[in-house]
């Protein structure tokens, strides 16, 4: 279920499905880089202004699902206009700054983005642009990213399946809103 916070800027209501902290795992595979499974934590938050703040941290996982080392981190700001056009400004820990433009799909929580501008520091790896697709599917957040370099044409390189993290406060609130249950514990199953 998608909840819309009462203090959310009205312009951001179409992006409310992103809000919260999401965690899960995915796969990374790009020529010249290590192919790996990764874990990821993503937070979309707001403070009442006309943007959503975005933070993502990912880490390489070993074959048992344990954290091995950091993979990449990103942060940025997401906006949407009245025509459902989405713009994102993002900074990556590898020394890359990107401006993304895209659109929120009609009648479904799905965002398709493509880079419009890329700036790199001298120390960053080669990178010329990308595309991303984010979707809210059966209460989960899924995404796939494509990447291009001067040597490699645009191709998929990362994807992840994330589940929303529920805080202890949210669990307590859900419990308060449950209807009264029978005391015997069996009547529920009848």
């Amino acid at each position: 279920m998608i909840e819309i916070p009462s203090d959310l800027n009205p312009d951001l209501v179409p992006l409310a499905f992103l809000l919260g902290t999401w965690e899960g795992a995915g796969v990374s595979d790009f020529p010249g880089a290590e192919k790996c499974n990764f874990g990821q934590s993503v937070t979309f938050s707001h403070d009442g202004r006309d943007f959503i703040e975005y933070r993502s941290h990912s880490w390489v996982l070993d074959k048992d699902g344990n954290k091995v080392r950091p993979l990449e981190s990103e942060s940025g700001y997401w906006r949407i206009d009245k025509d459902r056009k989405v713009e994102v400004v993002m900074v990556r820990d590898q020394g890359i700054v990107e401006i993304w433009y895209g659109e929120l799909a009609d009648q479904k929580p799905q965002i398709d983005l493509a880079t419009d501008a890329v700036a790199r520091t001298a120390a960053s790896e080669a990178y010329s642009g990308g595309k991303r697709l984010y979707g809210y599917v059966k209460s989960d957040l899924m995404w796939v990213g494509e990447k291009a370099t001067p040597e490699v044409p645009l191709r998929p390189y990362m994807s992840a399946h994330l589940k929303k993290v529920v805080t202890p406060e949210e669990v307590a609130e859900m419990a308060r809103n449950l209807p009264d249950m029978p005391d015997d514990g069996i009547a529920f199953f009848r």
Side-chain angles (χ1 to χ4, degrees), residues 21-27 37-42 57-59 61 65 141 143 159-165:
T21 297
W22 304 84
E23 293 183 352
V27 177
N37 292 328
F38 66 91
Q40 183 178 29
S41 178
V42 175
H57 298 283
S58 59
W59 51 89
L61 297 174
L141 184 63
W143 70 271
S159 62
H161 184 156
L162 309 173
K163 298 206 172 280
K164 194 161 194 178
V165 175

Side-chain angles (χ1 to χ4, degrees), residues 31 38 55-56 60 65 74 83 111 117-118 128 132 135 140 159 167:
F38 66 91
R55 294 198 178 276
S56 170
V60 174
E74 309 174 324
D83 296 321
I111 300 169
V118 174
S128 51
R132 289 200 188 171
D140 293 344
S159 62
T167 66

Side-chain angles (χ1 to χ4, degrees), residues 33-171:
E34 173 189 13
K35 180 178 180 177
C36 67
N37 292 328
F38 66 91
Q40 183 178 29
S41 178
V42 175
T43 300
F44 291 93
S45 60
H46 72 96
D47 64 6
R49 291 183 279 175
D50 69 342
F51 59 83
I52 290 179
E53 185 175 359
Y54 164 80
R55 294 198 178 276
S56 170
H57 298 283
S58 59
W59 51 89
V60 174
L61 297 174
D62 67 16
K63 63 183 173 81
D64 298 319
N66 299 309
K67 287 183 181 181
V68 175
R69 66 182 175 284
L71 182 60
E72 69 178 39
S73 298
E74 309 174 324
S75 62
Y77 301 93
W78 294 53
R79 287 183 168 83
I80 188 167
D81 70 14
K82 63 180 175 42
D83 296 321
R84 304 173 70 84
K85 304 293 185 211
V86 177
E87 64 180 40
V88 179
V89 176
M90 191 180 306
V91 176
R92 295 194 202 198
D93 62 351
Q94 299 116 347
I96 296 171
V97 177
E98 301 160 298
I99 296 175
W100 299 77
Y101 286 105
E103 189 170 6
L104 177 64
D106 191 31
Q107 303 297 316
K108 60 184 172 180
Q110 177 180 307
I111 300 169
D112 200 357
L113 296 169
T115 52
D116 181 66
V118 174
R120 302 183 302 114
T121 63
S124 73
E125 61 186 39
Y127 173 70
S128 51
K131 293 177 91 177
R132 289 200 188 171
L133 177 64
Y134 290 83
Y136 183 77
V137 181
K138 296 183 180 176
S139 299
D140 293 344
L141 184 63
M142 297 180 186
W143 70 271
V144 62
E146 296 180 47
K147 177 165 98 169
T149 70
E151 298 80 28
V152 180
L154 188 68
R155 68 172 293 255
Y157 83 105
M158 286 181 99
S159 62
H161 184 156
L162 309 173
K163 298 206 172 280
K164 194 161 194 178
V165 175
V166 181
T167 66
E169 295 80 18
E170 291 169 320
V171 170

